[in-house]
Amino acid sequence: MRWWKVLGLAAFAGVAATGVVIARAERRRRAYTPEQIRTRLRERHAEATRALPDGR
């Protein structure tokens, strides 16, 4: 096989693998309920405000 064919196959495999990773992350993100998202955001906000030196 010529080197450009090997390079093309490697690029195709890289694109396919990237698509799988993105699809998996999207499924994981969509699995949260709205209440779970609100809870996580409130927790993150509480942590961020605790980290401020003046306590805002």
Side-chain angles (χ1 to χ4, degrees), residues 30-50:
R30 288 180 185 246
Y32 292 119
T33 65
E35 187 57 39
Q36 288 174 319
I37 293 171
R38 275 187 222 102
T39 301
R40 290 183 67 199
L41 285 172
R42 288 181 182 132
E43 289 170 357
R44 288 173 57 191
H45 179 264
E47 286 178 25
T49 55
R50 263 188 266 126

Side-chain angles (χ1 to χ4, degrees), residues 4-30:
W4 55 272
K5 287 183 181 180
V6 174
L7 183 63
L9 288 173
F12 179 76
V15 169
T18 301
V20 168
V21 169
I22 290 171
R24 187 175 293 161
E26 184 68 17
R27 264 184 276 139
R28 193 178 304 134
R29 185 185 67 81
R30 288 180 185 246

